[in-house]
């Protein structure tokens, strides 16, 4: 057993949120892009983040696996501060799967190779074990017949499903999705949202940035509205969409619904 295999969900402190922002502030130079963010994502919860362009949604996600440094507050994964001095960032990052708007697949590797690469290199899985798991995962996202296809041979929706399978191959505790359907032709959006819905139903903890309000309402346990770096409203989907409290949320919903 490699060291990586010994790190499992067992070491998550019981009762802690899977992801927690505690008074987080983030600046780019003098631009204050996250302002005193408090947000907890509980195990198996699906939190959907909505808001206008530039409101800080991507930056919020990127802080979870410390792709961005924060200037105040704390971000915790399973109770462990990813920003603590001396913390093993790579170990915490393995708990977090991330899927982006632009697939970021390796162009010269097949679908299956894209999925098996990190488990072999980072987690020390055998080629055979990684291959078996990769085939299973690609089957689950409906790509069992595309194992040996290269990204250029796949549609946008298929590429995005490979990207989801690739993230799942690391057995993350939480999945982050940043506008993963925004670059897709409209007729391909449904197949990707369908995979995400399936993951949610299986109990995956998810933090999802999206403009798909139907998905937010039907799959989200909670909807969070960001505006100018702040969380300005949050609540269960039915309350958020049918009875928004703030003027900011009412305005936003008038524009998107
Ligand atoms: P959203 O995802 O909601 O569109 P972002 O998190 O991408 O918003 O951006 C929030 C703000 O931070 C925007 O004003 C954006 O211009 C700024 N920003 C994002 N990334 C950087 C960066 N790397 N350097 C400087 N400013 C950035
Ligand atoms: Mg963004």
């Amino acid at each position: 057993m490699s060291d990586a295999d010994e790190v499992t969900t067992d070491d998550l402190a019981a009762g802690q949120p899977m992801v927690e922002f505690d008074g987080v502030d983030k600046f780019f130079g003098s631009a204050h892009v996250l302002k005193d963010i408090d947000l907890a994502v509980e195990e198996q919860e699906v939190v959907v983040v909505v808001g206008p362009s530039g409101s800080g949604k991507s930056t919020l996600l990127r802080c979870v696996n410390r792709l961005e440094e924060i200037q105040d507050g704390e971000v915790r994964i399973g109770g462990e501060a990813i920003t603590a001095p001396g913390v093993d960032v790579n170990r915490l990052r393995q708990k977090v799967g991330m899927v982006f708007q632009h697939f970021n697949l390796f162009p010269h590797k097949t679908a299956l190779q894209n999925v098996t690469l990190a488990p072999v290199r980072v987690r020390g899985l055998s080629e055979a074990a990684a291959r078996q798991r990769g085939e299973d995962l690609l089957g689950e996202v409906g790509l069992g017949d595309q194992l040996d296809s290269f990204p250029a041979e796949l549609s946008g929706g298929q590429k995005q499903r490979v990207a989801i399978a690739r993230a799942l191959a690391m057995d993350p505790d939480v999945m982050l999705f940043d506008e993963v359907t925004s670059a897709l032709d409209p007729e391909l959006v449904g197949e990707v949202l369908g995979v995400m819905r399936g993951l949610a139903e299986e109990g995956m903890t998810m933090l999802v940035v999206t403009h798909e309000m139907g998905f937010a309402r039907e799959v989200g346990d909670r909807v969070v509205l960001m505006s100018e770096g702040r969380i300005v409203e949050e609540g269960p989907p039915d309350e958020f969409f049918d009875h928004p409290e703030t003027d900011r949320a009412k305005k936003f919903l008038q524009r998107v619904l």
Side-chain angles (χ1 to χ4, degrees), residues 56-204:
K57 305 179 300 296
S58 294
T59 305
L60 181 84
L61 287 199
R62 290 167 58 81
C63 288
V64 175
N65 49 13
R66 208 169 154 181
L67 294 173
E68 302 290 354
E69 296 293 336
I70 62 175
Q71 279 69 51
D72 198 11
E74 209 165 74
V75 176
R76 294 187 281 269
I77 299 174
E80 268 191 276
I82 190 156
T83 43
V87 75
D88 183 348
V89 176
N90 287 329
R91 182 176 58 81
L92 283 178
R93 276 186 185 146
Q94 285 187 42
K95 299 174 188 284
V96 182
M98 187 158 184
V99 185
F100 304 88
Q101 182 173 348
H102 299 286
F103 334 108
N104 303 338
L105 296 177
F106 301 109
H108 302 299
K109 299 204 178 291
T110 65
L112 184 60
Q113 287 167 341
N114 265 278
V115 174
T116 58
L117 194 70
V120 170
R121 289 207 189 151
V122 180
R123 301 188 72 208
L125 246 65
S126 71
E127 290 279 354
R131 186 180 172 89
Q132 184 58 58
R133 175 100 169 105
E135 289 178 1
D136 290 349
L137 284 168
L138 285 168
E140 280 171 32
V141 300
L143 294 173
D145 55 351
Q146 302 285 348
L147 302 179
D148 299 319
S149 299
F150 288 90
E153 301 171 315
L154 300 173
S155 72
Q158 290 174 324
K159 279 188 270 206
Q160 201 54 297
R161 286 184 281 146
V162 174
I164 293 171
R166 181 176 61 175
L168 292 172
M170 295 295 280
D171 286 326
D173 294 332
V174 55
M175 287 281 286
L176 313 178
F177 295 87
D178 192 0
E179 295 199 27
V180 296
T181 60
S182 294
L184 299 180
D185 291 336
E187 74 271 22
L188 303 178
V189 167
E191 65 194 52
V192 174
L193 293 180
V195 167
M196 293 166 66
R197 175 192 297 267
L199 272 180
E201 284 167 0
E202 287 167 20
M204 176 59 77

Side-chain angles (χ1 to χ4, degrees), residues 197-218:
R197 175 192 297 267
L199 272 180
E201 284 167 0
E202 287 167 20
M204 176 59 77
T205 307
M206 295 166 47
L207 185 55
V208 182
V209 173
T210 187
H211 296 295
E212 296 290 335
M213 296 300 145
F215 179 90
R217 189 193 267 273
E218 287 160 31

Side-chain angles (χ1 to χ4, degrees), residues 28 33 52-59:
F28 284 113
V33 299
S53 180
S55 57
K57 305 179 300 296
S58 294
T59 305

